[in-house]
Amino acid sequence: MTAKASATEFTDGSAQMTAADGAGPAPVRIVVAYGFWIFLLSDIIMFSALFATYAVLSGRTDGGPGPHDLFELRSVAIETLCLLLSSYTCGLGLLAVERHRMQYFYLSFGLTFALGATFLGLELDEFARMVGSGAGPSRSAFLSSFFSLVGLHGVHISVGLIWILFITAQVAVRGPRDFVLRRLRCFSLFWHALDIIWIALLSLVYLAGARV
Amino acid sequence: MKEPESNRTPRDRAPGADEEAPSGSIASYTIGLFFALLLTGASFLVSQSHLLWAPGLPVGLAVLAIAQMGVHLVFFFHLSSGPDNTNNVLALAFGVLIVALVVSGSLWIMSNLDHNMMPSSTIMEMHR
């Protein structure tokens, strides 16, 4: 409806134009980022199914350990801090490479990688501890849904870490050219989106669960 | 002479980008990090203390989480309400709609089924 209204304004030649008004194709930078944004939203929708599963099954412990027996909030707090800081350094790295300050870029993305790897290490440690104490994914419906939800986020983080290595190598070899910058921007959107999913995870799974 | 490109009209903006500084500024990332840490700290504090009335705790945590997601969208993704951002915000709104339908619909249906289900002991009695 708004598109129709602005289209008529455009034929009058009076109103401001956007690409939606038929002003021609948008630049590649915008098309790529928009397509990636749609992908991220569909990824979040996939996560929402697992969130719903967890919310339904979180009380079904089958007499086994529940959320308050398993979660250690201290390591969860460190994990959260790692993710937030890595998002920040990722943003700074993007700013640096756009200004062709390559040392700052390598420093920022090195920090991003280190913080992401710390997060993953803490999470794997937590998983190993839980499985070792007999609270593996096959113990109860609650644990099955917990491991699929948190594990899928962990898989995303692992993919992101591999992506950091590839994109940094690409910057080193090809330099900060347009197509490399587009890929870097896609990566930074991906990394920020993992933060958003972690916030939901932290609140629903860890903070709400540890209190019960 | 000016290039015709300089006579440009506001166009679509990429998510995570800005026209002058394509990826925001250090200030915006720093403000975002500050608010994100503040809200995370508040979530931990609220969940570990008795500041909130216990039955209201899930609502409090949800409010803090949604506020923090908003902070991330504004300061890290650089989403805004400007006309060049309409497509990004519309896509986000659609995503939020689907997420809300999936989550609330699942919870609703499953609690309804749970409510209408016979206790398993009764089922055992019937099969005897």
Side-chain angles (χ1 to χ4, degrees), chain B residues 66-122:
Chain B
I66 290 169
Q68 184 163 357
M69 288 178 193
V71 165
H72 281 253
L73 286 173
V74 170
F75 293 103
F76 291 162
F77 286 90
H78 311 297
L79 280 187
S80 76
S81 56
D84 54 353
N85 238 312
T86 316
N87 287 338
N88 302 335
V89 173
L90 274 181
L92 174 68
F94 181 68
V96 169
L97 172 73
I98 302 295
V99 167
L101 284 178
V102 168
V103 173
S104 66
S106 302
L107 285 174
W108 186 16
I109 290 172
M110 292 309 287
S111 74
N112 202 6
L113 279 176
D114 203 29
H115 189 74
N116 290 332
M117 186 107 138
M118 254 183 259
S120 54
S121 54
T122 324

Side-chain angles (χ1 to χ4, degrees), chain A residues 20-53:
Chain A
D21 303 325
V28 180
R29 177 170 70 80
I30 286 165
V31 173
V32 166
Y34 187 65
F36 199 76
W37 180 229
I38 303 279
F39 160 73
L40 287 178
L41 289 169
S42 60
D43 207 31
I44 287 173
I45 288 169
M46 179 184 69
F47 265 103
S48 78
L50 287 173
F51 272 108
T53 312

Side-chain angles (χ1 to χ4, degrees), chain A residues 5-6 27 37 58 69 84 94 123 133 142-143 174 177 189 198 203 211-212:
Chain A
S6 53
W37 180 229
S58 59
D69 305 318
L84 289 178
L94 194 58
E123 188 162 75
S133 66
F142 151 67
L143 283 164
R174 313 297 290 271
R177 290 149 73 171
L189 288 177
W198 178 254
S203 306
R211 179 60 177 263
V212 174

Side-chain angles (χ1 to χ4, degrees), chain A residues 17 30 37 73 88 98 211, chain B residues 10 12 23 30 47-48 88:
Chain A
M17 295 196 297
I30 286 165
W37 180 229
L73 280 187
Y88 180 66
E98 277 170 1
R211 179 60 177 263
Chain B
D12 285 344
S23 300
T30 311
S47 74
Q48 295 311 110
N88 302 335

Side-chain angles (χ1 to χ4, degrees), chain A residues 173-192:
Chain A
V173 175
R174 313 297 290 271
R177 290 149 73 171
D178 272 355
F179 76 97
V180 178
L181 285 183
R182 283 201 296 275
R183 290 170 190 181
L184 268 175
R185 290 199 190 97
C186 286
F187 167 75
S188 95
L189 288 177
F190 179 77
W191 202 247
H192 295 321

